[in-house]
């Protein structure tokens, strides 16, 4: 799973929510979009009116990469939606998956899965899920 998070003020809550949902082992990479990079380079491709939208000292975005099981995807999407908001809205983020044929060095995921209430408040009670089914990761 790859999430390019534009709404970086939600990063801490997002990571807490993913962790509470049993999704861990994510890598967070500082990243920048093409328009932001062109703006910083004073590229002639951007007009001055568009360039002013990108001025400021705030973070560009964060790219979050996590190897998850196929059955974890809907849970991860709910956590992202509840924390970041509707990704179809501007300045929130982009999320996608890439199928993996091989993964080595990954610890097994936790055996418990939280309720929807615990996802929303990042605290919560967990239900017993059982053993790792060993399906291909996403």
């Amino acid at each position: 799973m790859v999430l390019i998070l534009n709404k970086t003020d939600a990063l801490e809550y997002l990571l807490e929510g993913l962790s509470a949902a049993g999704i861990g082992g994510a890598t967070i990479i500082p990243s920048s979009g093409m328009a932001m990079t062109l703006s910083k380079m004073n590229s002639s491709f951007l007009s001055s009116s568009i360039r002013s939208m990108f001025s400021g000292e705030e973070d560009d975005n964060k790219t979050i990469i996590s190897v998850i099981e196929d059955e974890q995807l809907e849970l991860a999407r709910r956590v992202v939606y509840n924390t970041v908001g509707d990704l179809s809205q501007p300045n929130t983020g982009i999320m996608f998956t890439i199928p993996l044929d091989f993964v080595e060095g990954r610890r097994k995921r936790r055996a418990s899965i939280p309720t929807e209430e615990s996802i929303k408040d990042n605290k919560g009670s967990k239900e017993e899920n059982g053993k790792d089914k060993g399906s291909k990761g996403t």
Side-chain angles (χ1 to χ4, degrees):
M1 173 185 80
V2 178
L3 172 64
I4 301 168
L5 181 66
N6 294 331
K7 195 174 181 181
T8 58
D9 57 328
L11 179 64
E12 182 179 348
Y13 298 111
L14 175 64
L15 296 177
E16 289 172 354
L18 290 171
S19 181
I23 299 168
T27 298
I28 297 96
I29 303 167
S31 52
S32 162
M34 187 166 66
M36 179 68 78
T37 302
L38 286 171
S39 169
K40 289 179 180 177
M41 297 170 63
N42 283 328
S43 171
S44 61
F45 288 106
L46 290 179
S47 72
S48 59
S49 61
I50 293 174
R51 187 172 289 115
S52 67
M53 291 173 29
F54 295 107
S55 63
E57 297 299 317
E58 65 277 348
D59 288 338
D60 294 337
N61 52 46
K62 302 286 185 192
T63 299
I64 302 162
I65 303 169
S66 182
V67 176
I68 64 173
E69 300 295 327
D70 292 336
E71 64 270 9
Q72 291 178 296
L73 179 58
E74 285 307 312
L75 181 59
R77 289 179 72 201
R78 282 195 306 252
V79 170
V80 169
Y81 188 88
N82 288 336
T83 308
V84 177
D86 184 354
L87 295 181
S88 68
Q89 298 301 308
N91 300 315
T92 52
I94 298 170
M95 182 177 180
F96 59 92
T97 60
I98 301 170
L100 301 175
D101 293 325
F102 175 78
V103 175
E104 187 172 334
R106 179 174 180 248
R107 293 195 295 178
K108 290 185 179 184
R109 67 183 176 144
R110 293 181 233 159
S112 57
I113 296 214
T115 64
E116 285 199 36
E117 293 79 30
S118 67
I119 294 169
K120 290 179 183 176
D121 65 11
N122 293 335
K123 293 180 183 169
S125 61
K126 296 180 180 179
E127 300 171 357
E128 204 56 32
N129 183 33
K131 293 186 178 180
D132 193 354
K133 296 187 177 39
S135 68
K136 279 188 180 180
T138 304

